[in-house]
Amino acid sequence: MNAFTYRKNNLYAEGVAVSRLAETYGTPLYIYSRNHFREQYRVLSKAMAGARPLICYSVKANSNAAVVKTFLDENAGLDIVSGGELFRALRVGADPSKIVFAGVGKTRDEIEYAIRENILFFTVESEPEAARISECAKKLRRKARIAFRVNPDVDPRTHKYISTGKKENKFGLDAERMVKACEWAGSLPNIEIAGLHMHIGSQILSVQPFCHALEKLTNICTSLKKRFPAFRYLDIGGGIGIRYRPDQPELTPELYAKTLVPLIKKTGLSIVMEPGRFLVGNGGILVCRVQYIKDNPFKKFVVVDAGMNDLIRPSLYDAHHEVLAVTRNSGTIRGDLVGPICESGDFIAKDRNLPVVKENDLLAVQSAGAYGFVMSSNYNSRPRAAEVMVDGTRSTLVRKRETMKDIVSGEIITAKQTGIRSRIGRK
Ligand code: LLP
């Protein structure tokens, strides 16, 4: 489903005019489509039905409570990577028995929090982490379920920063070491070897890397199943890519499922999946307003009120995001779409054919539903954007725009500086 379409040259988010939302809530503004999220979830579950997976939405992709709740309402589980994400999950009523906890650097506090809440399992990245989980579980007089993450050493052919299953990456344990690691961890007090995990990277557009990785895991699963009576889960991670350009080839859930389901069924294990981007990426846009059109002898710049602090993907990964005019017109101009931040790395689109715009016009940056707002910051002391959820013809503000007061609220002015405070107070 494409939730963002034109009606008589005006861009709509489902049944609501984007311009109206921008007027009401201001810019920069993230707008999400609840029906896009639901439909992506349903398409994936339908395609994967043969493997009956527990689909754990990867909260890191977009952790807004309204987004997480949308997936909980579809019966999803959750994939989390921090105590903060666990807190968010529980706050919106997630069932801990459908939560899996990943990440290379879990602290004792985070581990104990998750054990107390009795999550489904930890995906474990190293032997020292297994030892730490064992200690925490012992202290709490509980048993912790773990699934070691395998690093299958396959190239997912994605950006190097989001490739995670090659041997030089910090993630997982190599396949050769896996059985030994499980035997050792299985002998620790209060640890149950519950399964195996893999996640080879993100924005993967071909099925082969998943296939190669799974083939490497199948034998390990067979030997672990024999050794550990509680061994029953195979977590195949996330990583299914989406279309950022209209002409980009797609990895459809149908092809993904057709290729992988026979392989995973052979293992006889319960399947867990951790999709993030696939579920939310194309269900969000970032709306911004043109501030200035600037020409220099070499280039044209369209300066907008959203910067790398709002959407860092172009600066960090050279990521491509389509840019649409909220009120469509014909013609394009060649140039850079840039933000207000004091860095040349602050751009949303570089050397691109952009819609013809003038000061105050609205632009919509596409495919901003995943790793958009969640990676935003207050750099340059810019309050973070508001977020709105659209469902049919209804729109709801699901995160208020930050105020200047919000961004300084954690800072402490010491006694010596009270003069400063009183001057601010008078303003
Ligand atoms: N499971 C684990 C263990 C992960 O590390 C990730 C993403 C996922 C699942 C979800 O992956 P997805 O289905 O979304 O590909 N900020 C980057 C993406 C980083 C992905 C980190 N891990 C970007 O904007 O492209």
Side-chain angles (χ1 to χ4, degrees):
M1 160 188 191
N2 184 2
F4 304 97
T5 51
Y6 284 104
R7 292 189 193 174
K8 293 192 183 140
N9 290 333
N10 292 311
L11 188 66
Y12 272 68
E14 298 196 24
V16 185
V18 168
S19 55
R20 182 161 76 74
L21 295 175
E23 290 305 330
T24 310
Y25 301 108
T27 52
L29 179 70
Y30 275 95
I31 302 177
Y32 305 128
S33 156
R34 180 166 275 146
N35 284 302
H36 178 90
F37 296 162
R38 284 187 188 126
E39 194 172 308
Q40 290 298 95
Y41 181 88
R42 289 175 193 175
V43 165
L44 186 62
S45 337
K46 191 168 165 220
M48 291 297 292
R52 303 205 304 133
L54 170 63
I55 300 180
C56 290
Y57 166 58
S58 195
V59 174
K60 66 176 84 64
N62 187 329
S63 56
N64 184 289
V67 178
V68 177
K69 183 74 170 55
T70 302
F71 294 113
L72 294 183
D73 291 346
E74 296 292 313
N75 263 326
L78 299 177
D79 157 50
I80 59 162
V81 277
S82 68
E85 286 191 353
L86 179 54
F87 178 77
R88 280 181 181 280
L90 299 173
R91 182 171 167 262
V92 288
D95 173 357
S97 73
K98 293 204 278 189
I99 294 181
V100 294
F101 191 163
V104 288
K106 304 177 191 78
T107 65
R108 278 178 203 279
D109 283 350
E110 289 177 317
I111 293 168
E112 288 182 17
Y113 182 19
I115 294 175
R116 270 189 256 108
E117 296 296 340
N118 202 15
I119 62 161
L120 181 57
F121 58 79
F122 292 93
T123 63
V124 172
E125 303 264 1
S126 65
E127 288 95 343
E129 185 192 327
R132 181 179 282 188
I133 294 174
S134 166
E135 284 164 26
C136 295
K138 192 165 173 220
K139 176 177 156 199
L140 297 171
R141 298 206 182 86
R142 301 280 272 274
K143 242 192 166 143
R145 287 170 293 276
I146 70 165
F148 270 112
R149 176 169 177 174
V150 185
N151 182 325
D153 193 25
V154 294
D155 184 355
R157 286 176 256 148
T158 184
H159 190 280
K160 63 176 190 250
Y161 288 180
I162 54 176
S163 159
T164 54
K166 287 168 76 181
K167 62 176 183 303
E168 62 266 34
N169 299 136
K170 68 178 174 181
F171 299 99
L173 297 180
D174 48 283
E176 294 69 38
R177 200 154 112 213
M178 189 48 72
V179 173
K180 259 208 157 122
C182 285
E183 273 171 353
W184 170 80
S187 70
L188 294 172
N190 307 69
I191 288 288
E192 198 171 275
I193 305 294
L196 210 59
H197 174 230
M198 72 168 207
H199 171 75
I200 56 173
S202 196
Q203 183 54 13
I204 301 172
L205 287 168
S206 120
V207 78
Q208 275 81 31
F210 292 110
C211 214
H212 291 154
L214 268 174
E215 278 161 357
K216 289 199 177 179
L217 256 63
T218 327
N219 286 342
I220 310 176
C221 285
T222 315
S223 45
L224 292 177
K225 241 167 93 176
K226 278 193 212 130
R227 284 177 167 83
F228 301 100
F231 188 88
R232 49 183 280 236
Y233 297 105
L234 173 60
D235 181 339
I236 59 173
I240 308 174
I242 58 164
R243 238 184 208 154
Y244 281 93
R245 303 167 191 260
D247 58 353
Q248 202 164 21
E250 228 182 343
L251 170 52
T252 62
E254 291 75 22
L255 175 65
Y256 176 88
K258 197 174 112 200
T259 322
L260 300 186
V261 169
L263 282 176
I264 54 192
K265 268 179 108 172
K266 262 198 239 156
T267 65
L269 294 167
S270 300
I271 301 304
V272 176
M273 297 179 71
E274 306 171 344
R277 189 189 318 261
F278 175 81
L279 296 179
V280 292
N282 276 326
I285 57 174
L286 171 62
V287 183
C288 49
R289 203 176 273 284
V290 175
Q291 301 300 305
Y292 303 99
I293 310 288
K294 177 177 168 174
D295 268 313
N296 77 16
F298 310 102
K299 234 182 186 171
K300 208 180 226 350
F301 296 94
V302 176
V303 186
V304 291
D305 62 358
M308 65 192 283
N309 74 298
D310 298 297
L311 181 69
I312 203 172
R313 302 195 70 257
S315 313
L316 192 56
Y317 315 113
D318 257 324
H320 177 100
H321 288 260
E322 288 288 306
V323 179
L324 299 179
V326 170
T327 306
R328 183 160 58 177
N329 54 25
S330 53
T332 54
I333 46 162
R334 187 90 194 162
D336 288 6
L337 183 67
V338 300
I341 288 188
C342 314
E343 297 208 24
S344 297
D346 177 31
F347 59 88
I348 290 173
K350 244 195 162 136
D351 266 326
R352 286 258 293 274
N353 290 330
L354 299 166
V356 177
V357 278
K358 55 184 186 320
E359 204 172 305
N360 272 325
D361 282 354
L362 292 167
L363 288 171
V365 183
Q366 305 287 289
S367 311
Y371 308 108
F373 181 89
V374 284
M375 293 181 80
S376 65
S377 76
N378 293 126
Y379 186 39
N380 279 202
S381 288
R382 289 168 46 80
R384 279 180 298 171
E387 295 174 284
V388 169
M389 179 73 87
V390 171
D391 188 345
T393 53
R394 269 208 341 248
S395 60
T396 316
L397 181 68
V398 292
R399 193 179 208 273
K400 283 193 271 186
R401 179 175 307 286
E402 279 181 344
T403 62
M404 293 192 193
K405 271 203 171 142
D406 289 334
I407 64 176
V408 295
S409 66
E411 289 175 27
I412 295 158
I413 297 179
T414 61
K416 274 197 189 146
Q417 297 169 311
T418 47
I420 299 175
R421 186 164 62 189
S422 56
R423 277 208 300 282
I424 293 170
R426 265 188 263 127
K427 270 210 167 164

